[in-house]
Amino acid sequence: MKLKKLLEINAMCEEQQGGHKESIPWDVQESFDYDSNNLGLIDILEMDIVHFVRAFKLLNKKTIDYNLNAVRPSKVALNLIAGKLHIAVNELEEYINND
């Protein structure tokens, strides 16, 4: 079942339970394209719920992986920093010993 239809059903159910009409929030009704590997660009409201959940999980994993990699410097970067610190320490020792 498509997300758009599920949102409509949800609004109807809330209207019946609460006695007042719950409209779907405007920001949820807006079209938003998802770039699917299999289908290309697709409006998320036209996605099947299973496809949407899979896409959400995939995007969430990519975000987590990106954030982990962005926070952790690479081994190459750490080795470069360590090398520069070692050079700086040697230069300081030479400066101190020459005075």
Side-chain angles (χ1 to χ4, degrees):
M1 187 175 291
K2 308 260 185 218
L3 285 178
K4 185 176 184 178
K5 190 65 165 175
L6 289 169
L7 289 170
E8 291 170 1
I9 292 169
N10 183 61
M12 286 188 295
C13 290
E14 289 182 7
E15 179 182 343
Q16 289 174 356
Q17 290 176 355
H20 63 285
K21 184 174 173 137
E22 281 291 325
S23 62
I24 302 170
W26 65 269
D27 59 334
V28 175
Q29 295 179 42
E30 286 182 334
S31 176
F32 179 80
D33 288 335
Y34 169 73
D35 192 3
S36 170
N37 291 334
N38 299 332
L39 303 172
L41 289 178
I42 182 171
D43 183 346
I44 63 168
L45 295 177
E46 296 300 323
M47 291 171 75
D48 183 77
I49 185 70
V50 172
H51 186 205
F52 177 79
V53 170
R54 287 179 179 152
F56 180 83
K57 288 173 70 175
L58 180 65
L59 287 175
N60 191 45
K61 182 181 179 334
K62 286 180 181 178
T63 301
I64 290 170
D65 290 347
Y66 174 79
N67 288 338
L68 287 176
N69 290 331
V71 171
R72 294 182 188 166
S74 68
K75 288 183 180 181
V76 173
L78 290 175
N79 286 335
L80 180 65
I81 292 168
K84 292 194 181 267
L85 286 172
H86 183 70
I87 292 169
V89 167
N90 288 340
E91 289 176 354
L92 281 172
E93 285 177 349
E94 285 180 23
Y95 178 77
I96 291 170
N97 291 335
N98 287 336
D99 281 344

